[in-house]
Amino acid sequence: MSARLCTSWKGKVEVTKDGLKLCTMGPGKVFGELAILYNCTRTATVKALTHTKLWAIDRQCFQTIMMKTGLIKHAEHMEFLRSVPSLQELQEDVLSKLADVLEETHYDEGDYIIRQGASGDTFFIISKGKVSVTQQKLANEEPVFLCTLSRGDWFGEQALKGEDVRTASVVAADDVTCLVIDRESFKQLIGGLEDVNSRVYESAEAKAKFEAEAAFFSSLDFSDFQIVNTLGVGGFGRVELVQLKSDESQTFAMKILKKQHILDTRQQGHILSEKHIMQETHCGFIVRLYRTFRDRKYLYMLMEACLGGELWTILRDRGSFDDATTRFYTACVVEALSYLHCRSIIYRDLKPENIILDQRGCAKLVDFGFAKKIGYGKKTWTFCGTPEYVAPEIILNKGHDISADYWSLGILMYELLSGSPPFSESDPMKTYNIILRGIDMVEFPKKITKNAANLIKRLCRDNPSERLGNQKNGVKDIQKHKWFEGFNWEGMRKGTLTPPIIPSVSSPLDTSNFDCFPEDSEDPPPDEDSGWDAEF
Ligand code: 6JR
């Protein structure tokens, strides 16, 4: 007789093996499954103790049902996976593989799904319920709550990306179902996804600070500010130094953009991306964007005021910088680029005009009009940047990625050390021509030291994959270069290193480090309410 799986609904049976009694079973218990599941001979003997009635399913039937449930589960998982925002980029066949390898796991409220400090080999996607993420700074300290995650969210990638160690604890906040994926499948199927790959977490302290700050700024109204003076003027509009009426010592830079001008120059996409990128960016070497406002004529960006002035102005006044001064500013930019690149953001507009000093003399990147978030290992094709700073692959329209910023970093170093960029001609076409001839055709002035020249040449390689910063060790290769030997990176990050130029800034209202601009006498631009800026 072919093997059958049985469940009794009346009576009692006894299980024995080699003459030894193993157990007795009453109504509702299932037996006979092992031979069916594993296609082996019966592992024990089952004997009726009383008059017994059973339900029985034969192997064929059992397997058909199991297969059907398997297919149904697979289809369910597919449908769910398709709905997960971070997995949108995955092809159907990859999703199907994922649905094959994942395992569904259930947790009750209070269960630890992940413990901070443990080593980890799995990645989780929540299909039901909520989890809370907490973190302890020290083993005996109270854990700090970080966030709640729910259906469609995922976690556990950090241990698979880096050190193997769980960076936080994850606890089920109610009945939770997770789809669990092992390290190998994660690496092959998910690890390369933009969302998963570019997620970087802030520490609990930083998070708390930025949340409080965000709450403060969102409580303010446009009319809470008044203009102090003008910091800059361009075709786009103006940058004004503004102060809080309620606390005049609190000043900010308010960038005011004419909506009609944005539309005329088709910059809508760039402006929205600038807002989104800057608003998420919390780096000491990048100007902060606190919040935005808009009305019918203008968009407003409320930013950190950096009253030390533009690096461009200082360079213009001094002609060039010595090695140590250039090293400090270059290091600030390296920090900023490394912050952005970790998050898959290319900056694309490096030049002295876009670097400003705060009152301490620390350099920060400003103007994110060309910044773009790109997928891991992806390229982009928009031609942008300033001719003198544009990398050859952009000119040749070959597609570019974060390595284009390292090219510009080399150009920046050269310009700061010598006073003008290495490739510079009266018209952009000529500039592009000499860029394509390469850095080895440039004669370096004497004041650029051997080590500096070496670093510039290793940043400005024609082939993007040969550029320092874009190799296996990333930005570390730049930080370890001979030209930076002995530089106090940690002091610069913490702000304990004294900057080479300390600007004179007498108060939060002092705009003397900026050129003078006439008051706004232009006619106001027309209203623009096509609505493209709804998310601004
Ligand atoms: N931070 C998982 C969710 C956070 C969060 C902050 C941190 C670390 P894992 O928790 O992957 O396991 O997926 O390490 O494999 O705000 N998660 N929110 N981790 N780490 C983790 C993430 C998920 C636990 C978070 C997380 C930090 C801050 C400063 C070091 C230093």
Side-chain angles (χ1 to χ4, degrees):
M1 188 181 71
S2 88
R4 285 186 301 177
L5 165 90
C6 306
T7 171
S8 73
W9 59 283
K10 214 172 188 179
K12 209 171 188 184
V13 301
E14 178 190 70
V15 186
T16 58
K17 188 178 171 69
D18 305 328
L20 282 174
K21 186 177 150 189
L22 295 177
C23 65
T24 59
M25 290 194 281
K29 290 284 181 275
V30 175
F31 56 91
E33 80 287 6
L34 293 182
I36 282 205
L37 281 172
Y38 304 115
N39 210 4
C40 56
T41 53
R42 292 299 191 185
T43 56
T45 302
V46 181
K47 202 172 108 191
L49 288 181
T50 63
H51 178 70
T52 304
K53 283 193 174 173
L54 301 172
W55 293 102
I57 306 175
D58 63 39
R59 173 183 284 138
Q60 183 84 56
C61 195
F62 175 77
Q63 283 180 340
T64 311
I65 292 169
M66 285 302 280
M67 191 181 74
K68 276 200 191 136
T69 19
L71 287 174
I72 291 168
K73 266 284 163 221
H74 187 271
E76 264 176 34
H77 287 156
M78 284 292 283
E79 189 182 309
F80 168 65
L81 292 173
R82 266 191 220 111
S83 76
V84 174
S86 297
L87 304 182
Q88 291 303 308
E89 279 178 49
L90 293 181
Q91 302 288 328
E92 206 65 357
D93 59 323
V94 180
L95 282 185
S96 174
K97 277 193 197 127
L98 207 51
D100 281 337
V101 298
L102 59 79
E103 253 176 88
E104 205 177 285
T105 317
H106 304 274
Y107 304 89
D108 294 327
E109 183 181 340
D111 284 353
Y112 271 76
I113 303 172
I114 284 182
R115 263 179 215 274
Q116 182 179 349
S119 60
D121 259 325
T122 41
F123 175 79
F124 300 77
I125 305 171
I126 305 174
S127 70
K128 178 175 167 250
K130 284 186 173 33
V131 304
S132 30
V133 184
T134 63
Q135 196 176 42
Q136 270 173 306
K137 253 179 77 190
L138 297 166
N140 50 3
E141 258 179 46
E142 276 294 296
V144 182
F145 170 80
L146 292 177
C147 63
T148 301
L149 304 173
S150 55
R151 183 176 162 90
D153 290 328
W154 43 264
F155 55 90
E157 78 293 357
Q158 292 299 318
L160 303 184
K161 283 198 334 198
E163 304 276 302
D164 216 57
V165 175
R166 297 299 192 186
T167 57
S169 291
V170 181
V171 182
D174 51 18
D175 266 359
V176 171
T177 305
C178 288
L179 308 183
V180 186
I181 292 139
D182 64 274
R183 180 184 288 269
E184 196 47 40
S185 311
F186 173 84
K187 206 170 94 195
Q188 285 175 6
L189 306 172
I190 295 185
L193 285 176
E194 169 175 4
D195 279 6
V196 177
N197 204 42
S198 68
R199 183 164 301 176
V200 199
Y201 300 98
E202 261 155 8
S203 70
E205 300 97 297
K207 214 175 216 161
K209 185 177 136 207
F210 295 130
E211 270 165 23
E213 208 180 68
F216 170 71
F217 285 106
S218 65
S219 76
L220 295 176
D221 208 59
F222 186 67
S223 59
D224 292 329
F225 297 91
Q226 64 194 17
I227 293 181
V228 179
N229 208 339
T230 303
L231 297 174
V233 175
F236 61 88
R238 308 167 68 87
V239 181
E240 304 282 1
L241 185 72
V242 300
Q243 65 189 166
L244 260 184
K245 291 178 189 165
S246 59
D247 176 1
E248 299 196 339
S249 71
Q250 286 207 56
T251 60
F252 304 91
M254 181 87 87
K255 187 164 163 181
I256 306 176
L257 302 145
K258 294 180 244 175
K259 293 212 280 187
Q260 188 60 50
H261 182 266
I262 297 169
L263 215 58
D264 294 345
T265 51
R266 287 195 247 138
Q267 296 293 309
Q268 300 97 306
H270 285 152
I271 302 286
L272 292 178
S273 149
E274 174 170 25
K275 171 203 154 92
H276 288 131
I277 291 176
M278 276 190 102
Q279 215 157 25
E280 284 176 24
T281 300
H282 299 134
C283 168
F285 303 95
I286 296 174
V287 170
R288 289 284 312 280
L289 170 63
Y290 297 116
R291 75 163 286 183
T292 55
F293 298 97
R294 66 196 168 96
D295 57 28
R296 303 181 78 170
K297 297 186 189 300
Y298 302 101
L299 301 178
Y300 306 86
M301 300 171 85
L302 184 71
M303 300 189 295
E304 167 187 8
C306 292
L307 295 178
E310 283 180 16
L311 198 58
W312 182 85
T313 319
I314 304 172
L315 183 64
R316 179 196 62 192
D317 295 348
R318 298 194 176 210
S320 64
F321 296 138
D322 62 21
D323 229 29
T325 306
T326 306
R327 187 154 33 241
F328 180 85
Y329 297 136
T330 306
C332 294
V333 173
V334 167
E335 281 296 301
L337 291 182
S338 132
Y339 180 96
L340 295 171
H341 293 171
C342 271
R343 291 155 176 82
S344 301
I345 298 166
I346 340 179
Y347 178 63
R348 303 203 289 191
D349 203 13
L350 196 56
K351 53 180 173 181
E353 293 89 318
N354 284 342
I355 300 172
I356 59 177
L357 302 190
D358 65 12
Q359 77 289 342
R360 297 169 304 149
C362 174
K364 302 190 182 215
L365 286 187
V366 65
D367 202 336
F368 275 60
F370 290 147
K372 181 173 185 180
K373 193 161 177 152
I374 55 164
Y376 175 74
K378 294 252 168 63
K379 289 189 174 181
T380 182
W381 272 266
T382 319
F383 193 103
C384 54
T386 303
E388 285 79 1
Y389 277 77
V390 159
E393 67 273 19
I394 301 183
I395 301 173
L396 295 172
N397 201 25
K398 285 185 181 168
H400 58 279
D401 57 20
I402 59 168
S403 56
D405 284 339
Y406 291 116
W407 169 280
S408 312
L409 183 68
I411 307 295
L412 177 77
M413 270 182 69
Y414 188 106
E415 175 162 6
L416 298 184
L417 288 167
S418 72
S420 42
F423 309 107
S424 177
E425 294 285 334
S426 48
D427 96 272
M429 286 323 281
K430 284 186 186 154
T431 302
Y432 297 144
N433 245 314
I434 53 171
I435 291 174
L436 294 179
R437 277 188 238 153
I439 195 75
D440 290 331
M441 303 301 285
V442 175
E443 205 182 319
F444 280 49
K446 285 244 161 37
K447 53 185 162 187
I448 300 188
T449 61
K450 203 172 96 253
N451 283 340
N454 180 285
L455 177 52
I456 294 171
K457 287 181 177 168
R458 295 185 63 180
L459 290 166
C460 297
R461 301 295 300 239
D462 294 333
N463 181 346
S465 60
E466 291 174 7
R467 289 179 200 148
L468 220 54
N470 195 35
Q471 285 156 9
K472 187 167 99 264
N473 296 322
V475 78
K476 284 203 188 89
D477 287 335
I478 300 177
Q479 292 164 334
K480 283 193 325 210
H481 187 273
K482 271 184 291 184
W483 188 61
F484 278 114
E485 189 80 68
F487 181 75
N488 185 358
W489 288 93
E490 213 33 53
M492 182 200 62
R493 286 181 199 122
K494 289 200 192 115
T496 53
L497 179 66
T498 309
I501 298 172
I502 314 274
S504 96
V505 180
S506 60
S507 82
L509 307 180
D510 181 358
T511 57
S512 60
N513 291 309
F514 291 82
D515 291 339
C516 288
F517 300 95
E519 259 184 61
D520 194 1
S521 56
E522 279 176 51
D523 291 334
D527 286 359
E528 194 291 298
D529 8 48
S530 62
W532 66 270
D533 58 340
E535 55 185 279
F536 194 87

